Amino acid sequence: MAIIKCPECGHQVSDKAATCPSCGVGIHGNIKKCPECGEVVFNDQALCPNCHAPIAGKEATAAASTSQTVETRNTVFNDASLQDDSTIATKQQDTKKKKSMTPWVVAFVLALAVVFIGLYFYKTTLTKNEIDAYENAMQSSEPAVLQSFLDMYNDAPREHRDSVMSHLEMLKKVDSDWNNAVVSNSKSSLLRYIQMHPNSIHNVEAKIKIDSLDWIDASQKNTAEAYQKYIDEHADGMYIDQAQDAFSQIDARKVNSDDKSNISSIFTTFFNALSQNDEVALTSCVDNIMSSFLHKENASKTDVIGYMHKIHQQANVVKVEYRMNNDWKIEKTDDGTGNFSYTVNFSVDQTIEHSDEGDNSFNTYKVTSKVSPEGKISELNMQRIVQ
């Protein structure tokens, strides 16, 4: 037993083996060695496939020829088969290539789709942002907002840029008018600005300035009428509290009907007492010490009574009568504690009748006087008016 190479597949096999365990071809009884090179060949081979030497005689040669013819035919057949197999393999390789390329093509198409979709949404976002910025600019009253739109959106639609530029020019004109109104510092200019630009952002400031100007005017005039005008025109003004306080103070100093009635009553009592020579009634109307009485300083009630007696002690006096002419001029003064004193000017007629009518007299006196917060005459002077 020897180990040989299988003449069919070349694998090592025992020469006693019935078949090759690798390719299954018959071995035992079907092989022999080439007499020239010792190569193991099949019994029916006429030529050694290794050295191509003849192995048998004519039969062997014929068999070899026949074998060669068969081998040639098999070779042609095998070549055709190989060619077909190659074509099939090529087709299979092409199919495999196509199959292997398919994922890349799909991936490329998907990538393109993603890019185009991304570009679409990017463009859409830019367009939406531009529209939002445009609407915000057109609603704004700040020139900086409009200028920012023009700087950021150079590629905005022409109509948008034109509208924003027009709005910006309008705002610049508004600012110019505002500067002129502020420089003038006059109520009329500020009112005209508000009328011309009712939606301006400066209108609140303009109204504040008008409020201040009206308050300055009222405080300078310092009259109840001026303060009342400010109150009527600026119910929510910055100086409304001061105006109301000032008005109340002035209004409190204003002589009202009660004041006139009280003043009239005091002097009516005084001159009636003079007429009737009534000391009690007379002294009830005057302060204990008067700053001035008939030009005498620090006069007492005794001085007042003495004046009354002097009138009635004239010779042949029958009747003394005083009649006030109701031409009151009254000023009211706050002493700082909420109490008021009065300065009173008026005229009074004096009639003195005598038993001898030839001695009768009639005089008109101009009276200047003051009344204390207690309702007492604190000063009284008379000057005869020459008829």
Side-chain angles (χ1 to χ4, degrees):
M1 183 184 69
I3 300 300
I4 62 172
K5 289 196 304 181
C6 174
E8 179 68 25
C9 65
H11 282 80
Q12 290 184 344
V13 63
S14 173
D15 61 354
K16 300 300 182 180
T19 60
C20 175
S22 178
C23 63
V25 71
I27 297 298
H28 182 67
N30 293 326
I31 60 173
K32 62 184 177 181
K33 289 186 178 181
C34 172
E36 293 293 331
C37 64
E39 180 74 13
V40 176
V41 299
F42 289 110
N43 292 334
D44 58 357
Q45 287 183 288
L47 296 176
C48 175
N50 182 44
C51 63
H52 304 290
I55 296 177
K58 288 184 179 179
E59 295 83 0
T61 300
S65 178
T66 301
S67 175
Q68 186 173 7
T69 300
V70 172
E71 183 177 353
T72 300
R73 186 168 58 248
N74 289 339
T75 300
V76 172
F77 176 76
N78 289 337
D79 288 342
S81 297
L82 289 173
Q83 193 172 24
D84 291 340
D85 290 344
S86 177
T87 301
I88 293 171
T90 300
K91 289 182 179 180
Q92 289 177 343
Q93 289 179 356
D94 290 342
T95 301
K96 288 181 179 179
K97 287 182 179 180
K98 289 181 181 179
K99 288 183 179 180
S100 65
M101 290 180 64
T102 299
W104 292 99
V105 172
V106 173
F108 179 73
V109 171
L110 289 176
L112 285 179
V114 170
V115 170
F116 283 118
I117 292 173
L119 288 174
Y120 170 77
F121 282 108
Y122 176 72
K123 182 67 174 177
T124 301
T125 300
L126 287 181
T127 302
K128 183 179 183 302
N129 290 343
E130 186 276 331
I131 292 174
D132 291 342
Y134 168 72
E135 292 176 350
N136 181 59
M138 293 302 293
Q139 293 174 2
S140 176
S141 299
E142 292 290 344
V145 175
L146 281 81
Q147 188 60 54
S148 176
F149 173 87
L150 295 175
D151 294 341
M152 291 180 61
Y153 296 97
N154 293 319
D155 298 330
R158 190 64 198 175
E159 59 271 18
H160 284 189
R161 292 184 60 83
D162 289 346
S163 297
V164 171
M165 286 190 286
S166 176
H167 189 39
L168 180 60
E169 290 301 318
M170 185 272 290
L171 290 180
K172 290 180 179 178
K173 176 65 168 56
V174 171
D175 280 347
S176 176
D177 290 345
W178 170 244
N179 290 333
N180 292 335
V182 171
V183 171
S184 70
N185 198 36
S186 69
K187 180 179 179 179
S188 59
S189 297
L190 293 167
L191 287 173
R192 184 166 57 253
Y193 174 84
I194 293 174
Q195 184 178 9
M196 292 174 59
H197 307 289
N199 298 319
S200 171
I201 60 173
H202 299 297
N203 282 354
V204 173
E205 187 176 354
K207 291 177 181 178
I208 292 174
K209 288 183 176 294
I210 290 173
D211 179 72
S212 296
L213 291 173
D214 282 351
W215 169 247
I216 292 172
D217 180 64
S219 58
Q220 288 177 344
K221 291 179 179 177
N222 197 33
T223 63
E225 292 75 17
Y227 289 123
Q228 186 61 58
K229 181 180 178 183
Y230 176 87
I231 292 170
D232 292 340
E233 294 181 359
H234 301 278
D236 297 324
M238 294 176 60
Y239 307 96
I240 188 66
D241 292 338
Q242 294 95 313
Q244 290 174 339
D245 289 342
F247 175 82
S248 297
Q249 292 175 9
I250 292 178
D251 188 61
R253 294 196 300 268
K254 186 177 181 180
V255 178
N256 53 43
S257 58
D258 290 339
D259 295 325
K260 290 180 179 180
S261 177
N262 292 334
I263 294 298
S264 175
S265 176
I266 291 170
F267 285 99
T268 298
T269 300
F270 178 82
F271 283 104
N272 283 342
L274 279 180
S275 299
Q276 297 169 11
N277 200 21
D278 185 346
E279 292 183 7
V280 176
L282 183 68
T283 56
S284 69
C285 298
V286 300
D287 276 341
N288 292 330
I289 301 297
M290 301 174 68
S291 60
S292 176
F293 178 71
L294 299 181
H295 305 290
K296 179 182 179 180
E297 295 182 358
N298 298 320
S300 65
K301 290 184 177 182
T302 301
D303 294 323
V304 177
I305 293 172
Y307 169 71
M308 181 182 65
H309 288 167
K310 182 178 178 180
I311 295 173
H312 287 275
Q313 287 174 358
Q314 296 180 36
N316 303 317
V317 171
V318 176
K319 183 179 180 181
V320 178
E321 183 177 11
Y322 289 90
R323 185 178 63 82
M324 289 174 292
N325 295 315
N326 292 323
D327 51 352
W328 306 101
K329 292 182 180 179
I330 306 172
E331 294 182 5
K332 191 175 180 181
T333 305
D334 188 350
D335 65 359
T337 63
N339 296 316
F340 297 93
S341 59
Y342 300 86
T343 298
V344 185
N345 297 321
F346 60 97
S347 64
V348 61
D349 294 333
Q350 179 194 61
T351 302
I352 300 178
E353 296 181 5
H354 295 265
S355 56
D356 185 353
E357 292 183 1
D359 294 332
N360 290 348
S361 65
F362 176 84
N363 295 293
T364 300
Y365 293 92
K366 178 182 178 181
V367 179
T368 58
S369 63
K370 291 184 178 180
V371 177
S372 69
E374 291 77 20
K376 304 291 185 179
I377 299 172
S378 58
E379 180 180 316
L380 189 144
N381 296 292
M382 294 194 298
Q383 179 180 2
R384 186 166 65 88
I385 300 174
V386 179
Q387 301 294 330

